[in-house]
Amino acid sequence: MSRTGRVRAEATAAARSFLRRRTAVFFTFFFPVLLVLIFGVIVRSQGADGGLFALPPAYYVPGYLAVVVLFTPLSRVGSEVARHREGARFEKLATTPLSRAEWLLAQTLVNAGVIGLAALLIFALVIVATGANVGLGPATLLVVPYVFLGVVLFCGLGAVLGRIADSQDGVIAASNGVALPLLFLSETFVQPDLLPGWLPVWASPLTYFARGVRAVTYEPAGGSVASNLIVLAALAVVLFVAGAVAIPRTD
């Protein structure tokens, strides 16, 4: 079987496994939608003059997209690695032609498909529910590579967490421990002038995702689309390789 065939077969199996977990499917789409409704509709309806969620709704588009781009790959890939370790499945995979990088690529492609659909839903919901003034045009399509590279990056990080954690419960705890600080300290929901100057937001890969998506969807942002995309791509490659290396050959 060719490399493409091996990746396709593993991706098909991973997709079926995900779809059988109805709770996981539900919360993949429900959790970010709930955040949009709470913070984008209810909280903003109070009409604050400063602080959190006081900027135009379009400013927070990267934050809402970051929820699904960040949480889903970390928890899903990390849990898959932990599940395979507990079931001694990597020992069986070691006897097949499927490499660790191919296994991770298959998982990443499935996540990219699921998260792509969720991101499209969130994007549409933010525009409809919050009235966000997002300039739709050819440049808006640049959100697609940002989402894809974000998925690749956090799938790689999820694989690393799955190797480090000692159980599936440990993966969930670790992924939440990593994701929550990143979500609110990476120029997603909290604007830079509300963060302390000493905080190294540049060290968070999610910062480049947020800056790039905001430069595409929010005109006053004024950020560089190309430079943020390049940095995100480089980080995605590094973390994907790290994740592939972290996947054990045996359990």
Side-chain angles (χ1 to χ4, degrees), residues 60-83:
Y60 302 102
V61 169
Y64 296 125
L65 294 179
V67 172
V68 67
V69 169
L70 174 63
F71 279 88
T72 302
L74 284 182
S75 60
R76 287 202 65 247
V77 175
S79 295
E80 281 297 311
V81 172
R83 188 179 298 112

Side-chain angles (χ1 to χ4, degrees), residues 24-208:
V25 175
F26 176 76
F27 279 101
T28 296
F29 292 89
F30 175 75
F31 182 59
V33 167
L34 183 63
L35 287 181
V36 173
L37 295 178
I38 292 176
F39 295 117
V41 178
I42 298 176
V43 173
R44 281 195 54 79
S45 66
Q46 305 305 313
D49 293 327
L52 294 176
F53 300 99
L55 294 177
Y59 180 87
Y60 302 102
V61 169
Y64 296 125
L65 294 179
V67 172
V68 67
V69 169
L70 174 63
F71 279 88
T72 302
L74 284 182
S75 60
R76 287 202 65 247
V77 175
S79 295
E80 281 297 311
V81 172
R83 188 179 298 112
H84 276 57
R85 290 176 61 196
E86 292 173 0
R89 297 181 186 178
F90 285 119
E91 290 186 354
K92 299 175 183 177
L93 284 177
T95 64
T96 71
L98 188 71
S99 68
R100 293 178 292 177
E102 291 169 352
W103 183 88
L104 183 56
L105 176 59
Q107 300 294 326
T108 301
L109 292 176
V110 173
N111 277 273
V114 173
I115 294 169
L117 290 175
L120 181 61
L121 172 64
I122 295 167
F123 195 82
L125 182 63
V126 170
I127 294 175
V128 173
T130 69
N133 185 20
V134 176
L136 299 178
T140 312
L141 294 176
L142 289 172
V143 173
V144 175
Y146 270 104
V147 170
F148 178 75
L149 290 173
V151 172
V152 173
L153 190 156
F154 290 112
C155 279
L157 183 55
V160 173
L161 294 180
R163 174 64 182 269
I164 296 173
D166 56 0
S167 65
Q168 294 183 51
D169 290 338
V171 169
I172 299 301
S175 62
N176 287 337
V178 171
L180 283 174
L182 288 182
L183 182 62
F184 292 101
L185 301 177
S186 301
E187 298 185 12
T188 49
F189 291 109
V190 183
Q191 51 265 40
D193 57 341
L194 295 181
L195 296 172
W198 52 263
L199 189 68
V201 294
W202 53 266
S204 169
L206 195 63
T207 296
Y208 303 98

